Amino acid sequence: MDEDWGRVDDHLARALLPADEVLEQVLAENRAAGLPPIDVSPLQGAFLTLLARITGARRVLEIGTLGGYSTIHLARGLAAGGRVVTCEFEPRHAEVARRNVERAGLAGVVDVRVGAALQTLPQLEQEGLGPFDLVFIDADKGGYPQYLEWALRLTRPGSVVVGDNVVRRGRVADPAVTDPAVTGVRTFLDAVGAHPRLRATALQTVGAKGWDGFAIAVVD
Ligand code: SAH
Ligand code: DHB
Ligand code: MG
């Protein structure tokens, strides 16, 4: 089944996405640097670009940069004068991301913040960098509930919050799974659903990265 999903992803990507040497090189750099291959897929990246465009985002916050593959997609969807702030714990990942962002010609619009997001997010607030129009949560899954709280502090009515990896091959919906990476996402989903200021849905996805999904919420 996974093979079919990958084959169809390739087909869709070939049909819909322009050939893009920069993005291919970014993925090659990430693999050469030994980063884990957990970047969003090309089609998912294009979805992030579209979301930024659809929301008219000028201020985007990403939590979990890795090598900047998703960051570049978000930055490409920015409205004129827009910026992406992206938070990354691992200095090595951040360094690769900065190089990739530079290669993509986006160094002027992407701000990579190194450190545990729970340390850097309060700094963003203090610097008055919000409110963000779009927030993409994709760092350590155990931290998702707290990242949601920060997303709410740093957004405004109408902002959009997206969470990656909310399905994890069905493990999120399996109460027997008690891995904190899974329970973190489960708690996040419950908190999104229960929050009076959020309207949300989730979309299951299959493709090159297997079976997973995105949660998408708008702030009231
Ligand atoms: N958004 C990226 C993938 C992110 S992978 C893409 O699609 O291209 C998750 C990243 O979150 C990893 O680079 C990991 O180092 C980072 N991370 C883990 N814990 C973190 C924390 N506490 N704060 C910030 N980033 C963290
Ligand atoms: C995995 C995928 C992700 O998108 C992520 O953010 C973390 C881990 C994975 O497939 O393991
Ligand atoms: Mg992810």
Side-chain angles (χ1 to χ4, degrees):
M1 197 62 107
D2 285 34
E3 276 168 37
D4 284 342
W5 296 340
R7 184 173 54 77
V8 175
D9 244 28
D10 287 345
H11 179 84
L12 295 173
R14 264 200 291 274
L16 299 174
L17 306 182
D20 195 317
E21 276 177 32
V22 169
L23 289 174
E24 278 167 29
Q25 206 181 343
V26 166
L27 289 180
E29 292 288 336
N30 291 356
R31 298 300 81 82
L35 271 49
I38 56 175
D39 335 69
V40 292
S41 71
L43 289 160
Q44 290 171 344
F47 173 64
L48 294 177
T49 305
L50 286 181
L51 262 185
R53 279 286 294 278
I54 290 164
T55 57
R58 287 188 68 252
R59 283 184 260 234
V60 174
L61 172 63
E62 176 178 63
I63 309 175
T65 315
L66 192 65
Y69 187 73
S70 55
T71 317
I72 289 166
H73 281 96
L74 288 164
R76 286 178 168 184
L78 286 170
R83 291 180 68 79
V84 179
V85 179
T86 183
C87 302
E88 173 55 51
F89 177 66
E90 294 286 348
R92 202 170 52 86
H93 296 185
E95 192 188 312
V96 174
R98 285 190 177 122
R99 272 207 311 273
N100 284 331
V101 163
E102 172 91 44
R103 183 177 292 110
L106 293 164
V109 299
V110 173
D111 179 358
V112 184
R113 298 293 177 111
V114 186
L118 291 178
Q119 307 295 317
T120 51
L121 290 165
Q123 287 169 15
L124 303 183
E125 185 178 50
Q126 276 164 23
E127 291 173 36
L129 288 182
F132 291 94
D133 308 308
L134 174 63
V135 182
F136 180 51
I137 301 176
D138 194 22
D140 55 303
K141 310 310 163 197
Y144 271 35
Q146 284 165 293
Y147 302 147
L148 177 65
E149 288 304 313
W150 276 103
L152 285 159
R153 286 178 77 117
L154 293 166
T155 48
R156 48 148 182 97
S159 296
V160 171
V161 180
V162 178
D164 194 22
N165 309 115
V166 301
V167 174
R168 308 311 305 269
R169 295 184 177 265
R171 284 157 55 84
V172 171
D174 178 354
V177 179
T178 57
D179 173 352
V182 170
T183 59
V185 173
R186 208 177 282 148
T187 303
F188 165 83
L189 287 174
D190 289 342
V192 169
H195 202 287
R197 287 183 59 214
L198 293 173
R199 283 170 188 279
T201 190
L203 296 172
Q204 296 193 69
T205 57
V206 295
K209 289 185 72 181
W211 174 26
D212 215 322
F214 291 106
I216 306 174
V218 64
V219 181
D220 267 341

